[in-house]
Amino acid sequence: NAGVTQTPKFRILKIGQSMTLQCAQDMNHNYMYWYRQDPGMGLKLIYYSVGAGITDKGEVPNGYNVSRSTTEDFPLRLELAAPSQTSVYFCASSPTGGNQPQHFGDGTRLSIL
Amino acid sequence: SQKIEQNSEALNIQEGKTATLTCNYTNYSPAYLQWYRQDPGRGPVFLLLIRENEKEKRKERLKVTFDTTLKQSLFHITASQPADSATYLCAPRDYGQNFVFGPGTRLSVLP
């Protein structure tokens, strides 16, 4: 019973490099989310998706892109890494939105140097 | 803009006592409020949900209250144990696509 799986767990990037953070869920959830968590700042929503082929911006989308070609996968892409993107990134899913509990992966710790 | 505050960044209590964590929100009218637990190096885990028309919700040693007049939720852990040490996040929810979390309170239960 995997739930939400994120890869990689850790990554160090140089300024200007690109990378894709992977997220997969096996619960057949319609909604998926990407958050970043900085110390003392709580979780900030980057992008979310309400189903395959549909994505929308959250509170802090600049510098990121997403796609949702299947129900299971929701990758997050950083095109030109900047030091301000150093953070812990969490992917989550829920059956629908509203009051539904979100199920989180264990995060990707990303450092941009 | 919406603002969510949790009483303090860190809270230390003695084992066996009741821990009370506070979540306050402004410029927001949530219909529900969720509480999550987050352990170091892990993602948040859902604990409880309370609806706006519910004053109180209980689950084992956990109790949550929701006062829409005060714009506040209280989260209580009774007979606290060292294993309850974690960061607790509140997450007000409305009927739209607002997915926000409070900054969290780090609880340490001392033996």
Side-chain angles (χ1 to χ4, degrees), chain B residues 54-103:
Chain B
E54 296 176 315
K55 290 254 189 289
E56 182 180 297
K57 197 83 168 276
R58 290 176 186 262
K59 180 182 176 183
E60 296 171 355
R61 293 184 295 110
L62 308 180
K63 184 179 88 170
V64 174
T65 63
F66 191 11
D67 189 325
T68 55
T69 302
L70 291 178
K71 294 185 180 292
Q72 180 181 81
S73 174
L74 299 179
F75 178 82
H76 306 273
I77 306 175
T78 58
S80 59
Q81 304 165 0
D84 295 326
S85 298
T87 296
Y88 292 86
L89 309 172
C90 70
R93 292 282 177 264
D94 59 20
Y95 293 107
Q97 310 290 33
N98 256 320
F99 304 110
V100 292
F101 285 81

Side-chain angles (χ1 to χ4, degrees), chain A residues 5-87:
Chain A
T5 303
Q6 291 185 239
T7 55
K9 292 192 186 309
F10 305 94
R11 184 74 184 266
I12 298 174
L13 280 183
K14 292 182 180 177
I15 296 171
Q17 286 186 321
S18 301
M19 81 162 292
T20 299
L21 281 65
Q22 301 292 345
C23 176
Q25 54 99 2
D26 63 359
M27 296 171 283
N28 202 32
H29 286 171
N30 288 318
Y31 280 56
M32 294 188 76
Y33 315 81
W34 274 106
Y35 294 91
R36 58 177 289 172
Q37 188 175 41
D38 301 306
M41 298 298 290
L43 290 159
K44 300 292 184 186
L45 184 66
I46 305 171
Y47 273 95
Y48 69 99
S49 169
V50 302
I54 307 170
T55 62
D56 210 344
K57 295 177 181 178
E59 185 181 354
V60 290
N62 291 345
Y64 307 95
N65 278 302
V66 293
S67 58
R68 182 101 182 267
S69 56
T70 67
T71 299
E72 294 77 21
D73 299 299
F74 190 39
L76 177 73
R77 182 147 180 92
L78 283 70
E79 290 295 348
L80 289 170
S84 61
Q85 293 177 305
T86 293
S87 189

